[in-house]
Amino acid sequence: MAITVPTTRPTNPRFSSGPCAKPPAYDLTKLASAPLGRSHRAAPGKAKLLAAIETTREILGVPADYKIGIVPASDTGAYEMAMWTMLGERPAEMVAWESFGAGWVTDAVKQLKIEHAVHTADYGQIVDMASLNYDNDVCFTWNGTTSGVRVPTGDVIPADRKGLTLCDATSAAFAMDLPWDKLDVTTFSWQKVLGGEAAHGMLILSPRAVERLENYTPAWPLPKIFRLTKGGKLIDGIFKGETINTPSMLCVEDYLLALDWAKSVGGLQGLIGRADANTAAIAEFVQDHDWIDFLATDPATRSNTSVCLKFTDDRIADGAAFAKAVAKRLADEDVALDVGAYRDAPPGLRIWCGGTVETSDIEAMLPWLAWAFESEINA
């Protein structure tokens, strides 16, 4: 069977789900004003760090009384910091429907060993968030980066909850409307939706979370990079750019550049619109091809950033081998890089659709996906 090879290629074939594509027209020379070789505690460094914090607040619409800090070790470090400093005061509801949520369950159950209930769902499904006990602390991911399943709304989280909500929003922030009044701890990393550099995490605390930190001391020792209080009071400097450890000022400059670009495309709503348009292009492709489908079974819970797909053709004998072969064909042609499913997820593809990706590149890549599928079936 003759297979037509597409003639149009994506301008940018980078569809990795982290680190993600840089903003369009990214240029390393635009980082020239980074205060390299200077102390991050000197005035220029502190000013850059504070600007990163306050511009994040502006674009995401974080309330003025919420604290925003730049912390070590990416989203993982930020979320671990929150868990290890705040959990244990009351039982925890541990929620997981993909691998990163499952990692937080492991922390609570095997490391912290706190009183808990575990709620899980298979890949492609989601836990019933309305069924949780919000008088306990609730730990969950807003968007499952490895499953393509997201929380559709925060409406079920009660305003009068007694526990804290700890939300890993690393592939949701800057692409989804987060309900700040329902979130007490929110974390994300620069490397996701804005295509920043890795190793720096963002920790956002509500007044209720600050109150917990100042009135509760966990039973376990805390390493220095986890300590958010001193003498029973929040170390406020952390949330003004006085970081716990030394940040990369080059990465900070890179994040500031991404934030400026985000404002240029309409801020949060502009970024959401770009991600939605990318996902819509894939949805149209899925509708027109009966051999592929979304991993997320409910359209209301489908992610608009980490879009996970599965092959459904009966001729495929080994799903994992087939998906890897398709991903390799796409990479070899330099039309779609790093689109294989996450190692713990079901076999398939994962295509990043966050705002730094151009819809024209998604549209140019999809005919190549059809070509790779047909080529592998024929092989």
Side-chain angles (χ1 to χ4, degrees):
M1 176 181 176
I3 302 171
T4 302
V5 179
T7 57
T8 302
R9 293 172 177 269
T11 301
N12 184 357
R14 294 170 175 83
F15 300 106
S16 164
S17 292
C20 301
K22 289 293 187 186
Y26 182 81
D27 187 346
L28 279 172
T29 63
K30 295 178 181 179
L31 305 182
S33 61
L36 304 183
R38 295 290 311 275
S39 169
H40 63 293
R41 303 194 187 282
K46 289 173 71 173
K48 295 276 188 182
L49 290 160
L50 183 59
I53 288 170
E54 292 308 322
T55 310
T56 298
R57 184 187 305 279
E58 173 191 349
I59 295 174
L60 292 182
V62 179
D65 58 348
Y66 279 49
K67 303 286 187 179
I68 304 176
I70 299 170
V71 300
S74 197
D75 174 69
T76 299
Y79 203 81
E80 295 261 5
M81 181 180 292
M83 291 182 67
W84 285 68
T85 56
M86 295 182 220
L87 293 188
E89 190 264 354
R90 61 184 61 229
E93 306 275 308
M94 304 303 301
V95 182
W97 54 82
E98 50 93 49
S99 58
F100 288 100
W104 309 141
V105 171
T106 297
D107 265 25
V109 175
K110 295 186 177 180
Q111 301 299 321
L112 300 178
K113 299 178 181 178
I114 59 175
E115 186 179 348
H116 64 273
V118 176
H119 309 265
T120 61
D122 292 335
Y123 279 84
Q125 307 289 328
I126 195 169
V127 169
D128 179 8
M129 298 295 288
S131 69
L132 306 178
N133 180 1
Y134 289 92
D135 286 343
N136 295 336
D137 294 331
V138 177
C139 298
F140 68 104
T141 56
W142 190 273
N143 183 77
T145 311
T146 65
S147 69
V149 176
R150 66 175 174 181
V151 177
T153 174
D155 291 349
V156 299
I157 301 175
D160 61 349
R161 62 191 178 277
K162 295 179 181 178
L164 299 180
T165 52
L166 284 71
C167 174
D168 174 354
T170 199
S171 54
F174 295 105
M176 304 171 198
D177 236 333
L178 298 173
W180 295 108
D181 61 323
K182 302 299 180 72
L183 306 177
D184 295 303
V185 178
T186 307
T187 67
F188 66 90
S189 64
W190 297 347
Q191 64 167 313
K192 293 294 185 183
V193 179
L194 290 188
E197 291 302 298
H200 298 75
M202 299 296 281
L203 177 66
I204 304 176
L205 305 178
S206 73
R208 298 179 74 247
V210 173
E211 182 181 15
R212 170 73 64 83
L213 283 166
E214 293 185 334
N215 291 279
Y216 166 68
T217 301
W220 42 83
L222 294 174
K224 179 180 179 180
I225 60 169
F226 279 10
R227 296 175 203 157
L228 295 170
T229 60
K230 185 176 182 179
K233 292 295 182 182
L234 189 73
I235 304 174
D236 206 48
I238 294 172
F239 305 93
K240 297 178 181 178
E242 298 171 14
T243 55
I244 296 172
N245 69 335
T246 305
S248 163
M249 296 312 300
L250 193 61
C251 291
V252 172
E253 196 71 22
D254 181 273
Y255 182 54
L256 288 170
L257 180 63
L259 290 169
D260 285 344
W261 171 81
K263 290 195 287 186
S264 76
V265 297
L268 178 60
Q269 294 309 312
L271 291 168
I272 292 173
R274 289 173 65 90
D276 285 348
N278 292 337
T279 307
I282 294 180
E284 184 177 350
F285 180 87
V286 168
Q287 185 174 0
D288 292 342
H289 296 82
D290 60 5
W291 44 263
I292 197 166
D293 201 356
F294 288 93
L295 183 59
T297 56
D298 181 357
T301 68
R302 287 177 187 160
S303 171
N304 67 345
T305 55
S306 54
V307 176
C308 295
L309 303 171
K310 60 184 178 181
F311 294 106
T312 58
D313 196 294
D314 290 339
R315 293 171 290 178
I316 299 172
D318 185 336
F322 185 88
K324 287 179 180 179
V326 168
K328 185 177 186 304
R329 287 181 183 271
L330 294 170
D332 288 348
E333 290 291 334
D334 199 32
V335 292
L337 305 176
D338 309 320
V339 296
Y342 189 73
R343 61 180 180 269
D344 295 335
L349 302 178
R350 181 172 58 154
I351 301 169
W352 183 256
C353 288
T356 59
V357 173
E358 298 279 29
T359 303
S360 58
D361 284 332
I362 294 284
E363 292 171 339
M365 177 273 296
L366 289 171
W368 285 96
L369 174 53
W371 166 85
F373 170 81
E374 296 293 348
S375 298
E376 193 58 34
I377 282 288
N378 277 276

PDB file of all heavy atoms in Angstrom, residues 11 52 64 76 87 151 160 176 187 216 276:
ATOM      1  N   THR A  11       7.383  23.918  12.230  1.00  0.00           N
ATOM      2  CA  THR A  11       8.540  24.804  12.399  1.00  0.00           C
ATOM      3  C   THR A  11       9.314  24.419  13.650  1.00  0.00           C
ATOM      4  O   THR A  11      10.543  24.414  13.654  1.00  0.00           O
ATOM      5  CB  THR A  11       8.079  26.267  12.495  1.00  0.00           C
ATOM      6  OG1 THR A  11       7.369  26.601  11.294  1.00  0.00           O
ATOM      7  CG2 THR A  11       9.261  27.209  12.670  1.00  0.00           C
ATOM      8  N   ALA A  52       9.958  38.261  39.508  1.00  0.00           N
ATOM      9  CA  ALA A  52       9.431  36.958  39.096  1.00  0.00           C
ATOM     10  C   ALA A  52       8.222  36.575  39.936  1.00  0.00           C
ATOM     11  O   ALA A  52       7.218  36.051  39.420  1.00  0.00           O
ATOM     12  CB  ALA A  52      10.523  35.894  39.217  1.00  0.00           C
ATOM     13  N   ALA A  64      -3.732  38.948  46.826  1.00  0.00           N
ATOM     14  CA  ALA A  64      -2.659  39.733  47.436  1.00  0.00           C
ATOM     15  C   ALA A  64      -2.208  39.167  48.777  1.00  0.00           C
ATOM     16  O   ALA A  64      -1.050  39.353  49.169  1.00  0.00           O
ATOM     17  CB  ALA A  64      -3.118  41.183  47.609  1.00  0.00           C
ATOM     18  N   THR A  76       8.618  19.161  42.323  1.00  0.00           N
ATOM     19  CA  THR A  76       8.782  18.094  43.313  1.00  0.00           C
ATOM     20  C   THR A  76       9.254  18.656  44.637  1.00  0.00           C
ATOM     21  O   THR A  76       8.712  18.329  45.702  1.00  0.00           O
ATOM     22  CB  THR A  76       9.778  17.036  42.800  1.00  0.00           C
ATOM     23  OG1 THR A  76       9.270  16.470  41.593  1.00  0.00           O
ATOM     24  CG2 THR A  76       9.977  15.933  43.829  1.00  0.00           C
ATOM     25  N   LEU A  87       1.697  18.453  56.720  1.00  0.00           N
ATOM     26  CA  LEU A  87       0.876  17.272  56.972  1.00  0.00           C
ATOM     27  C   LEU A  87       1.157  16.689  58.352  1.00  0.00           C
ATOM     28  O   LEU A  87       2.224  16.882  58.926  1.00  0.00           O
ATOM     29  CB  LEU A  87       1.137  16.209  55.907  1.00  0.00           C
ATOM     30  CG  LEU A  87       0.693  16.530  54.483  1.00  0.00           C
ATOM     31  CD1 LEU A  87       0.850  15.307  53.595  1.00  0.00           C
ATOM     32  CD2 LEU A  87      -0.745  17.045  54.428  1.00  0.00           C
ATOM     33  N   VAL A 151      -8.674  17.957  36.814  1.00  0.00           N
ATOM     34  CA  VAL A 151      -9.860  18.304  37.600  1.00  0.00           C
ATOM     35  C   VAL A 151     -10.686  19.294  36.785  1.00  0.00           C
ATOM     36  O   VAL A 151     -10.168  20.326  36.351  1.00  0.00           O
ATOM     37  CB  VAL A 151      -9.452  18.935  38.946  1.00  0.00           C
ATOM     38  CG1 VAL A 151     -10.684  19.367  39.729  1.00  0.00           C
ATOM     39  CG2 VAL A 151      -8.610  17.960  39.768  1.00  0.00           C
ATOM     40  N   ASP A 160     -15.857  26.178  53.527  1.00  0.00           N
ATOM     41  CA  ASP A 160     -15.726  26.079  54.983  1.00  0.00           C
ATOM     42  C   ASP A 160     -14.957  24.836  55.417  1.00  0.00           C
ATOM     43  O   ASP A 160     -15.132  24.341  56.530  1.00  0.00           O
ATOM     44  CB  ASP A 160     -17.102  26.101  55.646  1.00  0.00           C
ATOM     45  CG  ASP A 160     -17.974  24.924  55.195  1.00  0.00           C
ATOM     46  OD1 ASP A 160     -17.598  24.228  54.226  1.00  0.00           O
ATOM     47  OD2 ASP A 160     -19.041  24.709  55.814  1.00  0.00           O
ATOM     48  N   MET A 176      -4.724  26.784  32.867  1.00  0.00           N
ATOM     49  CA  MET A 176      -6.062  26.500  33.388  1.00  0.00           C
ATOM     50  C   MET A 176      -6.402  27.529  34.450  1.00  0.00           C
ATOM     51  O   MET A 176      -5.516  28.077  35.111  1.00  0.00           O
ATOM     52  CB  MET A 176      -6.106  25.075  33.976  1.00  0.00           C
ATOM     53  CG  MET A 176      -5.687  24.008  32.979  1.00  0.00           C
ATOM     54  SD  MET A 176      -5.493  22.363  33.710  1.00  0.00           S
ATOM     55  CE  MET A 176      -4.511  21.565  32.417  1.00  0.00           C
ATOM     56  N   THR A 187       1.593  24.345  43.877  1.00  0.00           N
ATOM     57  CA  THR A 187       2.983  24.270  43.437  1.00  0.00           C
ATOM     58  C   THR A 187       3.046  24.078  41.921  1.00  0.00           C
ATOM     59  O   THR A 187       2.138  23.514  41.316  1.00  0.00           O
ATOM     60  CB  THR A 187       3.728  23.103  44.114  1.00  0.00           C
ATOM     61  OG1 THR A 187       3.178  21.860  43.662  1.00  0.00           O
ATOM     62  CG2 THR A 187       3.629  23.187  45.625  1.00  0.00           C
ATOM     63  N   TYR A 216       1.804  24.690  63.885  1.00  0.00           N
ATOM     64  CA  TYR A 216       1.974  23.240  63.902  1.00  0.00           C
ATOM     65  C   TYR A 216       3.437  22.900  63.635  1.00  0.00           C
ATOM     66  O   TYR A 216       4.049  23.424  62.708  1.00  0.00           O
ATOM     67  CB  TYR A 216       1.081  22.584  62.852  1.00  0.00           C
ATOM     68  CG  TYR A 216       1.431  21.145  62.560  1.00  0.00           C
ATOM     69  CD1 TYR A 216       1.250  20.137  63.511  1.00  0.00           C
ATOM     70  CD2 TYR A 216       1.968  20.784  61.318  1.00  0.00           C
ATOM     71  CE1 TYR A 216       1.585  18.817  63.237  1.00  0.00           C
ATOM     72  CE2 TYR A 216       2.298  19.464  61.037  1.00  0.00           C
ATOM     73  CZ  TYR A 216       2.106  18.490  62.004  1.00  0.00           C
ATOM     74  OH  TYR A 216       2.442  17.182  61.732  1.00  0.00           O
ATOM     75  N   ASP A 276      -6.071  25.626  24.453  1.00  0.00           N
ATOM     76  CA  ASP A 276      -7.348  25.064  24.003  1.00  0.00           C
ATOM     77  C   ASP A 276      -7.357  24.863  22.484  1.00  0.00           C
ATOM     78  O   ASP A 276      -7.887  23.863  21.976  1.00  0.00           O
ATOM     79  CB  ASP A 276      -8.501  25.967  24.409  1.00  0.00           C
ATOM     80  CG  ASP A 276      -8.831  25.880  25.898  1.00  0.00           C
ATOM     81  OD1 ASP A 276      -8.322  24.968  26.573  1.00  0.00           O
ATOM     82  OD2 ASP A 276      -9.602  26.737  26.375  1.00  0.00           O
TER      83      ASP A 276
END
